[in-house]
Amino acid sequence: TEFRSASMSDWHPLKKEMIICTRFGNTTQLHYVKMPGGDRQQITFYEDNVGGATFEPIKGDYFIFSKDNGGNEFGQLYRYDMRTKKVTMLTDGKKSQNGGIEWSNQGNLIAYTTTKRNGKDRDIHLMDPLHPENETDLCQNEGGGWGIVEWSPDDKQMLISESVSANESKLYQVDMTNGSKTLLLPLA
């Protein structure tokens, strides 16, 4: 019942190199590929599955990845420094689900979804991955179907979605200065 699989995770922003997710045995781990047809080098070695990775989009000095602990499904976000190989946990490490990362266009902030507030509602938080202690809550939401679509080109607004059901979803514009949401679709 075990099989090998590999999937693309992210391209380095400046080099022709990539991170891939590869499963050998029981868990998926991150591997680095430095050239087309090149050998993959494993860079994470955890007992638990590692989720996808996303490079810091300007220089590629580090990337962010997700991982839970012991299969508890409380995915936490981590920063992996390419030079030092040091891994730093960015989120609270408690019973919260964190993910859905989207980088700002300036490349200095991530927006991500988290259930940190109450364990069920998926809020949108902002964080500089080099200074996670300054994380902010952009907007609080009700329900678990929220996700980040994209930042505006000037990083002053954000498009987020709410999946209500398999047949219904909503699209909102968020003002980055105060977190207020404006329903865009469906039209009233």
Side-chain angles (χ1 to χ4, degrees):
T1 62
E2 298 296 329
F3 61 93
R4 288 186 180 185
S5 65
S7 62
M8 170 71 174
S9 198
D10 201 12
W11 288 102
H12 191 282
L14 302 176
K15 304 173 186 177
K16 293 181 180 179
E17 301 175 356
M18 70 173 75
I19 297 175
I20 62 172
C21 296
T22 305
R23 181 179 173 144
F24 290 114
N26 294 327
T27 63
T28 300
Q29 299 297 317
L30 298 176
H31 292 72
Y32 201 66
V33 180
K34 291 191 174 190
M35 68 185 82
D39 292 336
R40 58 182 168 243
Q41 298 173 349
Q42 188 169 346
I43 53 178
T44 60
F45 299 87
Y46 296 106
E47 291 181 19
D48 300 303
N49 283 323
V50 175
T54 178
F55 272 109
E56 174 275 317
I58 305 302
K59 297 182 195 172
D61 291 339
Y62 61 90
F63 63 84
I64 309 292
F65 69 94
S66 64
K67 181 185 80 64
D68 63 15
N69 188 15
N72 65 6
E73 298 186 14
F74 295 117
Q76 302 299 316
L77 301 180
Y78 297 83
R79 182 185 70 232
Y80 181 100
D81 184 281
M82 294 297 291
R83 187 178 55 76
T84 66
K85 314 294 188 244
K86 180 181 176 189
V87 175
T88 304
M89 183 186 287
L90 300 176
T91 47
D92 66 3
K94 298 177 183 170
K95 291 186 175 183
S96 64
Q97 294 176 337
N98 305 278
I101 300 167
E102 288 293 330
W103 286 94
S104 66
N105 292 295
Q106 291 182 11
N108 61 331
L109 294 175
I110 60 169
Y112 69 97
T113 63
T114 181
T115 62
K116 180 194 293 192
R117 178 171 49 95
N118 61 16
K120 63 177 183 154
D121 295 324
R122 201 163 292 275
D123 300 332
I124 310 291
H125 280 212
L126 301 176
M127 175 194 297
D128 175 346
L130 295 176
H131 302 284
E133 66 278 5
N134 298 330
E135 168 189 29
T136 59
D137 183 355
L138 175 63
C139 64
Q140 294 184 353
N141 304 305
E142 289 186 30
W146 293 87
I148 302 156
V149 178
E150 190 167 7
W151 295 68
S152 65
D154 62 5
D155 289 337
K156 293 182 179 180
Q157 299 174 46
M158 182 179 292
L159 200 59
I160 65 172
S161 64
E162 178 188 17
S163 295
V164 179
S165 70
N167 298 320
E168 181 184 0
S169 61
K170 297 178 181 179
L171 202 57
Y172 294 85
Q173 177 180 305
V174 179
D175 183 324
M176 300 301 284
T177 59
N178 60 21
S180 65
K181 294 182 290 222
T182 302
L183 180 64
L184 300 177
L185 294 171
L187 299 175

